[in-house]
Amino acid sequence: MDIINKGKKKSFGFVLEDSDKRRLIFRFYPDESHIHGFHDFCPTEWEQVYKTYYSWKICIDEDGEKTSFGSYSDEDCCFTNYSCIIDELIKNAEEDRREVLSFRGISWNISYRKRAKDYIEFELWTHNNIGYRFRLDIETAKRFAAFLEKADAYMMKHSEPI
């Protein structure tokens, strides 16, 4: 259940993996995230966006041990960038790797891998070279891309002036 706080949802998440040994949830915190326009108006299109600050983390539960990896304020990220890369890699269906570099937040390396069963691999790296990697089957990766786009659409509806 989503908790409502000041008109914004406090958080929402996407289950990346749920097995007997490991549960991964990508949790996004819109109440702590911001999209700012260039001037004293709220942007309604991405071309009008000056800065984004996104708060998210991957909640990790491995054999009952709980940790997390993520970003309190990932500056200048846009989830739609990642979803477009996921969609493009799936459409091409060839071994390939794309990078979205960030000097202040988390850099994403997204790869299409062909093995016994094709999958999308994600490598996320901080500027201090601390990383986390996970894999999604193709259908889960498509749903994750749609989730990221919905998070961006939600944030655009709750954008703020500079």
Side-chain angles (χ1 to χ4, degrees):
M1 174 189 245
D2 291 314
I3 299 170
I4 305 299
N5 185 9
K6 298 180 191 172
K8 272 191 188 177
K9 293 181 181 182
K10 184 173 180 184
S11 72
F12 47 91
F14 181 86
V15 177
L16 300 167
E17 182 180 329
D18 194 5
S19 68
D20 292 341
K21 299 206 178 258
R22 185 162 91 157
R23 182 171 168 87
L24 302 177
I25 300 174
F26 185 93
R27 180 126 345 252
F28 176 62
Y29 299 93
D31 199 37
E32 299 170 19
S33 301
H34 307 279
I35 292 179
H36 296 288
F38 284 101
H39 305 288
D40 292 332
F41 65 89
C42 298
T44 56
E45 300 174 353
W46 287 104
E47 294 78 23
Q48 300 170 338
V49 172
Y50 172 64
K51 287 259 187 202
T52 62
Y53 301 94
Y54 280 12
S55 180
W56 60 269
K57 69 180 174 182
I58 297 174
C59 302
I60 305 160
D61 184 349
E62 291 189 271
D63 292 325
E65 185 177 328
K66 295 182 181 186
T67 58
S68 66
F69 174 88
S71 176
Y72 173 70
S73 183
D74 203 354
E75 186 176 343
D76 295 330
C77 81
C78 170
F79 288 156
T80 301
N81 291 342
Y82 311 135
S83 66
C84 288
I85 290 171
I86 295 166
D87 292 342
E88 183 181 335
L89 290 171
I90 291 171
K91 180 182 170 192
N92 293 340
E94 296 176 0
E95 289 253 352
D96 199 357
R97 178 181 173 174
R98 304 291 165 82
E99 296 178 80
V100 180
L101 299 176
S102 173
F103 296 107
R104 294 186 184 112
I106 305 289
S107 294
W108 290 50
N109 297 324
I110 306 172
S111 304
Y112 190 99
R113 300 285 184 214
K114 291 180 128 338
R115 302 291 186 266
K117 188 174 183 181
D118 295 1
Y119 60 89
I120 302 292
E121 182 175 77
F122 297 82
E123 294 178 9
L124 311 176
W125 296 94
T126 68
H127 63 280
N128 294 327
N129 230 13
I130 298 169
Y132 190 75
R133 180 174 59 191
F134 62 94
R135 297 174 179 167
L136 300 178
D137 63 66
I138 300 301
E139 290 307 312
T140 304
K142 287 178 185 178
R143 290 193 316 275
F144 183 51
F147 168 83
L148 295 173
E149 288 180 13
K150 287 179 184 176
D152 269 349
Y154 181 86
M155 287 307 299
M156 185 62 76
K157 286 182 187 176
H158 294 87
S159 65
E160 306 162 57
I162 194 164

